Amino acid sequence: MKIINCIKYLMLLAVVSILTTSCSSDDDRGAIVDSPQTSTSKYVVGFEAFPVGDASSVDYILELPSLESLTTGEISVEGQGIPQKGWRFFHGVENTVFTVGYGDDDKCIAYGLDTESKLVEKGNFTFESTLNNYAAIDDNTLLAVELTFGGTSQEGSIQALSDKRFHIIDAETGKLQKIVEHPIDITVGDGTAANPGTIPWVTGMVLQGDKLFVSYQKLLADGSTVTVDVGRAYVAVFKYPEFELEKIIYDDRTSPIGINGHSTGIEKTENGDIYSNSSSALSAGFTSVTKPSGILRIKNGTTEFDKDYFFDVENAPNGGKIFWMDYVGNGKAIARIIIDDTIGPWKAFLEKDVLKMVVIDLVNKTVTDVQGVPIHGQRYTSPMFVEDGKAYISASTATETHVYIVDPKTATATKGAKVQGVSLKGIFKVTN
């Protein structure tokens, strides 16, 4: 009898086990159905193609299969890529790449990856006047400001275009959220060519907490690009997002900050400090020079230039006049230095043998030449692409263009992929 009862008990346990296993399997199947899809990352470049005949060059946005595509072989838009209209700026915010028309087009287009990991247009908007300076002020927002020169009215008198139009753009949708108009440091003239007044030209924007720092130069308000007040660096400090101008700060140890176009005039480091760079170069658009090319600092939590910090880059060993600078991390920046400022006005934007690449240690105030990058040219550069501590940068000589992979720790570079075009205007990584 004991044996029979034991057998019955074991059979009951087996039935319970089968039922429990069946329920568990049903639960597991539910968990598998609800599991999230894995994300995919791709590399995207802004590609400036060769012009055809006498036509202007046309830009493309091009998807690359892997990071290796930047390090070996050739990059071309033949049979691939999305052609854009005319010459453009490129800028990235988190997983969105923006292309913005300049001259030939008045549209800003946002691209990202869809659910099938295909590069597609996310949204777009048109603007009234050329957008000229951009900043990813957080992971969701692109801030762009219009370029205004001033100009001449129909009656022949000078009219100053005083207000700067800041475009606040949602990076997720690619749509314009709003436009905020605000004057910055204008000087009203008397309407004559002899006294047109001055207007600001924005060269950089950085958000620190609830403060927006905006660097700028001053131009004559007569439609020219004549720089004035060249013996001071200027930054306007706004309360953000209200766009209330709190103060204008300046420093007379160097020149106005940044250069024309896609300038990274001011940048923020990991500890929240802000560094600015001033060119003082005639070949980079200045019409007169009185101060050395240098770097200033605004310490985290303050709204004034640090009186105890100034780096005279122009007169430092291996130094010179800064054409472009971007922060790479760990207190270091990569910069392009003009090797000859006597080549003529604006020629640093045009020549192919006028720039050298350096690593600038912002903390220790040193300049080190990057070995492996030739003397070169590069008209405009988006904020550079950094992965695993290495910077990927396009540089052009008189005969060819390559991607260079720069190690800021050793100030050495490896020649990467050859670009079958004028240049790469931006390198980005996007994830869906």
Side-chain angles (χ1 to χ4, degrees):
M1 180 64 70
K2 290 182 179 180
I3 294 174
I4 294 173
N5 288 338
C6 182
I7 292 173
K8 289 181 178 178
Y9 178 71
L10 291 174
M11 291 176 66
L12 177 62
L13 285 178
V15 170
V16 171
S17 176
I18 291 170
L19 290 173
T20 303
T21 302
S22 176
C23 292
S24 298
S25 297
D26 288 343
D27 290 341
D28 289 344
R29 283 198 298 270
I32 292 172
V33 171
D34 294 337
S35 62
Q37 293 182 339
T38 57
S39 61
T40 301
S41 296
K42 289 191 174 182
Y43 297 88
V44 175
V45 297
F47 189 101
E48 185 178 4
F50 288 122
V52 178
D54 295 331
S56 299
S57 58
V58 175
D59 289 346
Y60 285 72
I61 186 167
L62 174 65
E63 173 187 333
L64 301 178
S66 66
L67 182 64
E68 187 180 8
S69 300
L70 293 166
T71 63
T72 61
E74 296 183 348
I75 301 173
S76 170
V77 292
E78 185 176 354
Q80 60 182 342
I82 305 172
Q84 308 290 293
K85 186 175 180 180
W87 196 99
R88 306 182 78 81
F89 287 118
F90 291 82
H91 202 98
V93 181
E94 197 65 8
N95 294 310
T96 302
V97 179
F98 291 91
T99 83
V100 192
Y102 186 86
D104 296 328
D105 188 44
D106 61 354
K107 183 179 287 186
C108 174
I109 307 172
Y111 290 90
L113 299 183
D114 64 10
T115 55
E116 297 179 351
S117 302
K118 181 180 179 182
L119 186 66
V120 296
E121 181 178 327
K122 299 172 67 173
N124 68 77
F125 67 92
T126 57
F127 44 85
E128 294 181 11
S129 181
T130 302
L131 299 178
N132 190 64
N133 194 268
Y134 312 83
I137 58 173
D138 57 39
D139 290 344
N140 302 306
T141 309
L142 177 70
L143 188 60
V145 63
E146 282 182 352
L147 170 64
T148 48
F149 288 104
T152 306
S153 68
Q154 291 182 350
E155 293 76 21
S157 62
I158 301 299
Q159 55 182 1
L161 303 178
S162 56
D163 288 358
K164 306 303 291 184
R165 289 165 51 87
F166 293 91
H167 293 60
I168 302 170
I169 305 152
D170 186 329
E172 182 61 32
T173 64
K175 299 290 187 179
L176 177 66
Q177 290 182 314
K178 63 178 179 179
I179 297 175
V180 178
E181 297 189 25
H182 206 295
I184 305 175
D185 198 5
I186 63 168
T187 302
V188 179
D190 60 11
T192 66
N195 183 23
T198 63
I199 56 173
W201 189 340
V202 173
T203 60
M205 297 176 284
V206 165
L207 183 63
Q208 174 59 279
D210 65 346
K211 309 292 183 188
L212 179 67
F213 295 81
V214 180
S215 62
Y216 62 95
Q217 300 178 9
K218 291 184 179 182
L219 304 181
L220 287 182
D222 58 1
S224 70
T225 55
V226 174
T227 49
V228 297
D229 204 0
V230 295
R232 285 180 174 177
Y234 284 93
V235 169
V237 183
F238 288 88
K239 183 174 177 57
Y240 186 87
E242 296 85 351
F243 268 96
E244 296 174 359
L245 181 62
E246 293 191 346
K247 61 166 64 172
I248 290 174
I249 60 176
Y250 66 87
D251 197 299
D252 60 8
R253 289 174 289 180
T254 187
S255 63
I257 296 166
I259 61 171
N260 168 49
H262 208 163
S263 172
T264 49
I266 51 176
E267 301 156 77
K268 184 171 64 175
T269 63
E270 297 94 333
N271 67 358
D273 290 347
I274 295 172
Y275 289 86
S276 68
N277 65 86
S278 299
S279 176
S280 297
L282 297 174
S283 60
F286 279 75
T287 48
S288 62
V289 172
T290 62
K291 299 293 174 64
S293 177
I295 298 172
L296 299 168
R297 179 173 67 187
I298 302 171
K299 296 185 72 173
N300 188 12
T302 72
T303 55
E304 298 288 345
F305 287 110
D306 184 353
K307 297 302 181 185
D308 296 325
Y309 182 93
F310 175 60
F311 185 14
D312 183 346
V313 176
E314 184 170 344
N315 296 300
N318 301 317
K321 293 179 181 288
I322 301 169
F323 181 70
W324 165 89
M325 187 182 91
D326 203 357
Y327 186 66
V328 69
N330 297 316
K332 294 183 178 180
I334 292 178
R336 289 183 163 104
I337 297 290
I338 298 170
I339 61 174
D340 182 5
D341 194 36
T342 67
I343 57 177
W346 298 97
K347 287 299 182 68
F349 292 90
L350 305 173
E351 302 295 332
K352 296 297 186 183
D353 56 355
V354 71
L355 304 174
K356 70 172 183 176
M357 192 169 293
V358 300
V359 172
I360 296 178
D361 189 319
L362 298 170
V363 178
N364 297 310
K365 299 181 182 179
T366 61
V367 181
T368 305
D369 290 346
V370 174
Q371 302 301 313
V373 179
I375 301 301
H376 63 280
Q378 180 76 16
R379 183 176 181 183
Y380 292 114
T381 305
S382 295
M384 77 191 157
F385 176 68
V386 180
E387 183 155 299
D388 296 330
K390 304 290 179 62
Y392 293 73
I393 305 174
S394 172
S396 303
T397 66
T399 57
E400 59 185 14
T401 297
H402 279 267
V403 177
Y404 291 87
I405 302 93
V406 181
D407 185 343
K409 293 181 180 179
T410 61
T412 58
T414 302
K415 181 188 285 188
K418 183 175 182 179
V419 179
Q420 293 289 8
V422 179
S423 71
L424 297 186
K425 292 170 141 186
I427 301 171
F428 311 93
K429 183 179 181 179
V430 293
T431 303
N432 62 359

